[in-house]
Amino acid sequence: MPAVASRTLVEGGLDEPRTLNPLFVADPLSEELSHLVFDGLVSVDPQTGEPTPALAASWDVSDDRQTYTFHLRPGVQWHDGQPLTAQDVVFTYQRMMDENVRSPRYSRLAGHVKSVTAIDQQTVAITLYAPDAAFLTTIATLGIVPEHLLGSIQPAQLITDPFGISSAVGTGPFTLSQWVRGETIVFTRNPNYFRGAPQVEQYIYR
């Protein structure tokens, strides 16, 4: 196990997440830990419950309340240094809505999201079948995954890919450093996080 950093938060639990991959998280613990590594377009203010900017710096809503146009925050990078683009967002939602992927998100999205389109490298439009007041605080908060790492994997093979367990590349405040199944998961702060590096250097879940 890596040496414990000076500013370390250690938490113990009775359960273990199944995966950190946003395409497949389905339980509250996996969801919580996944958000340490992956960001959504929108996050939810814990004090007010209102949607706040995350990967999307801002968004516009059409008059019929069915199309949301998200403007991505400039300069966001994946943990491996590659730039976040609108195509990553399109890829993520398309995979979640592909029944061959067997994502637990499928049923939640298939009946609500009509299309996800990249307008340009920094702009994404999501069109719904009907207005949904909870869209921003539910569907728009789902973590985005990198197309440059997962795009070459066949949809049906994503569920068995080690991404999200032995490795994980996101845009979030922490990187996955180590996962010893049944024992410990170690997260290390992302010094280049777009909201600023976390004060905690290391988070350990045991």
Side-chain angles (χ1 to χ4, degrees):
M1 176 189 233
V4 176
S6 58
R7 291 185 180 178
T8 298
L9 177 63
V10 181
E11 181 178 5
L14 298 176
D15 299 318
E16 181 173 27
R18 296 178 181 177
T19 180
L20 301 179
N21 186 340
L23 299 180
F24 300 107
V25 294
D27 60 279
L29 178 60
S30 296
E31 184 86 47
E32 180 181 354
L33 295 181
S34 178
H35 277 298
L36 294 177
V37 181
F38 299 93
D39 292 296
L41 291 170
V42 175
S43 59
V44 177
D45 187 310
Q47 302 298 322
T48 66
E50 294 296 316
T52 61
L55 292 179
S58 62
W59 53 86
D60 307 310
V61 186
S62 62
D63 290 341
D64 64 4
R65 314 299 293 181
Q66 290 181 221
T67 298
Y68 291 74
T69 303
F70 295 92
H71 307 281
L72 299 184
R73 194 183 297 266
V76 176
Q77 294 184 342
W78 295 100
H79 294 155
D80 61 5
Q82 293 296 310
L84 170 78
T85 70
Q87 192 55 43
D88 292 309
V89 179
V90 174
F91 171 78
T92 299
Y93 281 94
Q94 286 182 343
R95 286 297 182 267
M96 289 180 182
M97 294 188 294
D98 185 339
E99 60 183 3
N100 294 315
V101 174
R102 290 170 288 170
S103 169
R105 313 287 198 188
Y106 175 80
S107 60
R108 184 178 181 185
L109 296 179
H112 290 80
V113 177
K114 182 177 182 180
S115 65
V116 184
T117 307
I119 305 301
D120 55 41
Q121 288 289 87
Q122 294 297 116
T123 312
V124 181
I126 299 180
T127 300
L128 309 179
Y129 286 107
D132 182 353
F135 168 75
L136 285 175
T137 55
T138 54
I139 294 174
T141 61
L142 301 178
I144 303 302
V145 298
E147 184 187 29
H148 69 277
L149 294 180
L150 299 180
S152 62
I153 302 172
Q154 291 297 314
Q157 302 303 316
L158 284 167
I159 196 168
T160 58
D161 191 83
F163 184 88
I165 299 175
S166 61
S167 66
V169 174
T171 57
F174 289 88
T175 61
L176 175 63
S177 298
Q178 184 185 60
W179 189 341
V180 180
R181 298 295 293 187
E183 295 184 16
T184 307
I185 310 175
V186 180
F187 301 90
T188 303
R189 72 177 174 185
N190 173 13
N192 300 314
Y193 188 47
F194 61 84
R195 285 175 166 160
Q199 293 186 0
V200 173
E201 294 177 26
Q202 203 172 69
Y203 171 73
I204 300 175
Y205 180 81
R206 291 177 177 160

